[in-house]
Amino acid sequence: MSLCVPTFTDPLLAPIADKVVAGEPLSLADGVTLYASRDLHGIGRLANHVRETLHGNKAFFNRNRHINYTNVCALSCKFCSFYRKRGEDGAYEMPVEQVVETALKARDAGATEVHVVGGLHPWLKFDYYTDMLSGIRAACPDLHIKAFTAIEIIHFSRIARLSIEGVLTALRDAGLGSLPGGGAEIFDDRVHDEVFKGKVRSDKWFEVHRTAHSLGIYSNATMLYGHVETVPERVGHLIKLRELQAHSLATAPAAFNCMVPLSFIPDQSELGHLPGPTGLTDLKTLAIARLMLNNIPHIKAFWIMQGIGLSQVALDWGCDDLDGTVVWYDITKREGDRGTTHQELHVTDIQRLIREAGRTPVERDTLYREIVRHAESALALS
Ligand code: SF4
């Protein structure tokens, strides 16, 4: 590595830094040591060292729009404030035409991606999802469709009576471009049984992503942290992601593009009595994700879950991506009941935030290819 290796006030970090510089994977014990350390700036500098080695001064963003097609869900995960039961106040499901119309509006506003996820609707047929994809594909042939978490894919395999490979192939043929990383939560049976028991266990999440990679479909990974999990469970989650990534890189035509640590927001969920993670836990987790995941290229500070201010700081703590314009996001509202689903950052605001953090804003597409716009069209779209 050509960049200066940082120094530490905590001597326990020095051997970890040696491993990082040598490109060796960190162990569970290393991850736990990082979380326990009071040398917060040392951890940040080490994560920044990796981030700058990989991406220099670039900070990525994209023009995207999230579409949450329904909040009706057969499950009731304790950490979730999004789901409603059918007929309940606030429950909704978008007709396919509305989803397509929303995608068209996004395309017309300059978006390169739609991010489409929803609840596990008990009555919608599999055709609804393939029609949605083919409708978007026909209306906006150049728009990348990133859609459906692993748990939705499992749900489709049940309602369509198809294998996971069969579902993914049908969705890809209808227009699916890549998978988002949601539904991972924490890969641990104890945590699973305590807060999202109705969901499939982690082996199924991995099966979906492993199969997607084998079919050439790229995906992202997430971790919902700061609720009932312990630090070793958090670090174990990261190691499991790293192991699948190693497998995919060695055997498959696609792999994880990006890891998105998601800060748990307790408001309105059944876990509303919990305090939620602090800013320091957020920063440490983002930095430790960068350090543990030496084979996943990008770490994202998703500004909706981390907050705009902390995401800006996170660009020095291992993160190289802020996500995008988003526009509408129904799954989490940072301000709880007072919040609105209209959560949008304009491109000029994202660029300003990145520049103020001393980084160079780089627009990317979903697969992290850089997008260069001519000045005139960039002005029209900002
Ligand atoms: S987290 Fe997903 S699966 Fe669980 S209740 Fe919420 S929408 Fe449903």
Side-chain angles (χ1 to χ4, degrees), residues 99-121:
V99 176
V100 174
E101 203 178 300
T102 308
L104 259 171
K105 277 190 201 150
R107 193 274 316 268
D108 291 346
T112 57
E113 167 196 292
V114 280
H115 180 133
V116 184
V117 295
L120 310 185
H121 197 291

Side-chain angles (χ1 to χ4, degrees), residues 40-329:
L40 302 166
H41 292 286
I43 296 167
R45 284 195 298 272
L46 188 57
N48 189 51
H49 174 76
V50 177
R51 178 240 188 275
E52 291 194 355
T53 303
L54 288 170
H55 307 294
N57 207 36
K58 293 175 182 174
F60 297 97
F61 69 95
N62 72 345
R63 297 182 201 232
N64 63 354
R65 178 151 183 170
H66 285 238
I67 304 175
N68 303 131
Y69 56 89
T70 182
N71 62 355
V72 175
C73 188
L75 299 187
S76 314
C77 301
K78 285 189 183 173
F79 58 79
C80 179
S81 55
F82 168 64
Y83 75 85
R84 297 286 181 279
K85 296 303 167 192
R86 202 171 189 204
E88 196 182 327
D89 208 20
Y92 69 85
E93 57 221 18
M94 292 184 181
V96 165
E97 297 71 29
Q98 188 183 348
V99 176
V100 174
E101 203 178 300
T102 308
L104 259 171
K105 277 190 201 150
R107 193 274 316 268
D108 291 346
T112 57
E113 167 196 292
V114 280
H115 180 133
V116 184
V117 295
L120 310 185
H121 197 291
W123 293 290
L124 290 173
K125 302 276 183 267
F126 188 50
D127 288 354
Y128 169 84
Y129 304 97
T130 49
D131 289 350
M132 179 196 294
L133 295 174
S134 53
I136 298 172
R137 177 57 58 250
C140 323
D142 297 330
L143 198 60
H144 183 101
I145 309 172
K146 182 169 72 177
F148 309 131
T149 62
I151 182 77
E152 290 168 273
I153 301 294
I154 301 285
H155 175 66
F156 302 161
S157 80
R158 289 175 180 155
I159 60 174
R161 295 172 191 272
L162 286 170
S163 64
I164 289 170
E165 183 173 345
V167 167
L168 287 169
T169 305
L171 295 175
R172 186 184 58 185
D173 292 347
L176 179 75
S178 64
L179 294 183
E185 326 315 357
I186 291 285
F187 299 134
D188 183 272
D189 287 350
R190 183 197 71 77
V191 181
H192 171 275
D193 291 352
E194 190 171 337
V195 290
F196 50 102
K197 199 166 184 175
K199 265 190 181 173
V200 291
R201 287 185 187 275
S202 57
D203 55 335
K204 283 287 180 191
W205 190 97
F206 281 107
E207 189 182 341
V208 169
H209 285 265
R210 191 182 308 111
T211 307
H213 296 168
S214 74
L215 294 171
I217 300 171
Y218 282 87
S219 69
N220 287 344
T222 61
M223 172 173 75
L224 182 73
Y225 65 90
H227 41 94
V228 305
E229 86 286 2
T230 63
V231 162
E233 286 162 352
R234 229 179 260 167
V235 178
H237 178 105
L238 298 174
I239 291 174
K240 285 177 187 163
L241 286 176
R242 190 175 71 202
E243 288 169 353
L244 176 58
Q245 179 75 339
H247 175 81
S248 293
L249 289 172
T251 63
F256 292 122
N257 274 324
C258 175
M259 163 61 174
V260 196
L262 300 171
S263 181
F264 171 58
I265 298 173
D267 272 14
Q268 311 304 314
S269 75
E270 267 189 72
L271 300 179
H273 57 284
L274 296 178
T278 63
L280 289 182
T281 299
D282 288 330
L283 275 180
K284 263 192 177 177
T285 301
L286 292 163
I288 292 169
R290 178 62 287 165
L291 294 169
M292 296 298 301
L293 298 172
N294 63 335
N295 56 6
I296 296 186
H298 301 279
I299 305 290
K300 181 185 292 184
F302 183 32
W303 60 265
I304 288 197
M305 303 293 272
Q306 302 293 353
I308 293 171
L310 192 127
S311 298
Q312 212 181 6
V313 176
L315 295 176
D316 276 352
W317 285 68
C319 297
D320 60 278
D321 190 318
L322 289 184
D323 200 77
T325 41
V326 179
V327 188
W328 294 93
Y329 192 74

